[in-house]
Amino acid sequence: MTAPAFGPMEPAEPVASPDEAFPAQSQDLPDDARATYALILRSGPVPVTSQLPGLQQLADLGLLELSEDGEQLRPVDPRRVESQLTSDWRRRAWELELRAATLERDISGLTAQYVAASGVRHEAIRYLHGMQAIGDFTELAVRSARLEVSTAHPGGGKAAQFLGAALPLALDRLTRGVAVRSLYQHSGRFSEPTKEYVRELTAHGGSVRTLEEFFEWMIIVDRELAILPADAECSAAVAVSDPAVVRFLVDVFERNWQRAAEFTPAHAAISSREVVPEIHALIKRLLKEGLTDSAIAKRIGVSERTYHTHLSRIRTTLGAVNRVQLGYMLAREEFESAAQDASAEGI
């Protein structure tokens, strides 16, 4: 391995250990020192040359001070010592906390680069196999975020266990000034665990929107790293750091985000009025395109049972008694809509 081209490095300042930051004077006084302090309180100051046990510990702690002539040691009020030391230690603790925050900020950029490279120099694409590997990599990537984290979650509401694990990480980034945006499908508005998650996230500054259409799950960190599924079962994922590819994925997310509606958790009846018309419009469009029931259910992010409930409501609204009649009415609806558009344009 060759030496770095940027020259020799300055010796790093050693990081203070807890023992160095809070010196040994914070340790408990030995019994003989306590006995000597009690003796001085009863008998008065002692010469600085005295050999009484524990005298040095008392002086180091500040419980003894020199007399004006510098010849004797006299006792100090312990309350004064306590106030001074606790104030000093709190100040030192604050300084250590500040150093820790500064260190985290300084190296966060390097961490993001490390995550993007995934330990392999110039590797623009890395495959992750298995849920554990995907989860570990994703958590590290999100924790490295400096500016923003954008996520897309297809399907309906998420499991409470998944949301409970994701929330602390999202809130941690928000408290550190990182923008967090999440995109769900409209069907997520009917999930109580998802609504509770959204309440917590938005209360701390996060943004959540929903869209009627299906999209792939995706996580984009700082517009530099994207994580997306590598197979249909989502048992493998791919981490992409190629700038051109990431830029394309960011554009895809932004287009969906602009079309999406703000997710304000509400009662199911209110949510129905807000998003069900869009869901039904999408179902009708997909039916006219010839998609199967299972494919349409996946596209709108619901189970096939819930999908058939939506389908039944559409048939009732149009007055169709079966699928054949529904198909005819949808075709007529499309023809009439096209005719109206043509008339409006003066054709």
Side-chain angles (χ1 to χ4, degrees):
M1 179 180 296
T2 59
F6 41 78
M9 297 176 60
E10 292 285 343
E13 180 184 351
V15 179
S17 68
D19 289 340
E20 292 170 331
F22 300 94
Q25 64 183 23
S26 64
Q27 297 175 355
D28 292 339
L29 279 173
D31 291 340
D32 56 359
R34 295 174 183 273
T36 295
Y37 184 76
L39 175 63
I40 296 174
L41 287 177
R42 293 193 304 269
S43 305
V46 297
V48 294
T49 57
S50 174
Q51 299 299 314
L52 288 172
L55 209 63
Q56 187 62 51
Q57 289 97 323
L58 292 169
D60 290 343
L61 195 57
L63 287 168
L64 297 177
E65 65 179 5
L66 284 172
S67 59
E68 285 79 359
D69 58 12
E71 297 294 330
Q72 293 182 311
L73 292 171
R74 59 192 182 191
V76 175
D77 187 344
R79 290 172 296 183
R80 193 178 84 189
V81 175
E82 177 187 15
S83 176
Q84 180 179 347
L85 287 178
T86 53
S87 175
D88 184 50
W89 290 341
R90 287 192 182 100
R91 177 183 58 80
R92 296 188 189 188
W94 179 82
E95 289 174 349
L96 287 174
E97 178 65 24
L98 182 61
R99 289 183 66 183
T102 301
L103 177 65
E104 180 180 19
R105 185 191 67 237
D106 289 345
I107 70 173
S108 62
L110 300 178
T111 303
Q113 294 176 29
Y114 176 84
V115 171
S118 307
V120 181
R121 188 176 300 274
H122 304 309
E123 184 179 14
I125 296 178
R126 177 185 178 183
Y127 283 89
L128 309 167
H129 298 280
M131 297 306 297
Q132 186 66 46
I134 297 172
D136 291 346
F137 184 90
T138 300
E139 180 176 353
L140 179 59
V142 173
R143 288 194 184 281
S144 74
R146 311 180 312 280
L147 302 174
E148 65 176 22
V149 177
S150 301
T151 64
H153 306 275
K158 304 306 172 186
Q161 183 178 2
F162 168 82
L163 296 171
L167 183 60
L169 184 57
L171 296 183
D172 173 74
R173 292 298 90 193
L174 285 169
T175 59
R176 298 178 187 277
V178 176
V180 176
R181 298 185 297 170
S182 294
L183 184 63
Y184 288 84
Q185 284 188 264
H186 283 340
S187 51
R189 291 175 179 255
F190 303 97
S191 163
E192 288 302 323
T194 302
K195 289 194 288 186
E196 185 58 35
Y197 172 84
V198 172
R199 289 189 187 98
E200 285 290 324
L201 190 69
T202 54
H204 290 80
S207 299
V208 184
R209 296 184 182 182
T210 64
L211 195 65
E212 76 276 11
E213 293 186 64
F214 173 81
F215 44 82
E216 292 286 0
W217 74 263
M218 182 166 56
I219 299 173
I220 303 175
V221 179
D222 290 339
R223 304 192 174 210
E224 297 174 351
L225 174 70
I227 306 170
L228 57 157
D231 58 20
E233 294 76 24
C234 295
S235 60
V238 59
V240 181
S241 57
D242 180 82
V245 178
V246 174
R247 186 165 56 249
F248 171 80
L249 295 172
V250 168
D251 182 68
V252 171
F253 181 89
E254 292 297 339
R255 289 173 184 270
N256 283 331
W257 183 260
Q258 292 302 321
R259 294 188 299 111
E262 183 177 355
F263 188 168
T264 302
H267 189 273
I270 299 176
S271 296
S272 293
R273 291 197 298 269
E274 292 176 339
V275 300
V276 165
E278 291 186 14
I279 294 175
H280 286 185
L282 177 61
I283 290 175
K284 289 191 286 185
R285 177 165 64 83
L286 297 177
L287 283 170
K288 287 183 286 187
E289 291 177 4
L291 271 68
T292 64
D293 288 345
S294 60
I296 296 176
K298 180 179 180 182
R299 286 285 293 270
I300 64 174
V302 299
S303 66
E304 288 197 43
R305 180 179 178 181
T306 301
Y307 160 73
H308 282 292
T309 299
H310 285 298
L311 187 61
S312 176
R313 291 177 182 173
I314 293 173
R315 283 191 359 224
T316 301
T317 301
L318 295 177
V321 296
N322 54 44
R323 290 290 293 270
V324 174
Q325 190 175 17
L326 176 61
Y328 168 76
M329 289 183 169
L330 289 176
R332 187 179 68 180
E333 185 181 74
E334 183 177 19
F335 174 79
E336 291 175 350
S337 177
Q340 289 176 358
D341 290 343
S343 175
E345 293 176 3
I347 299 177

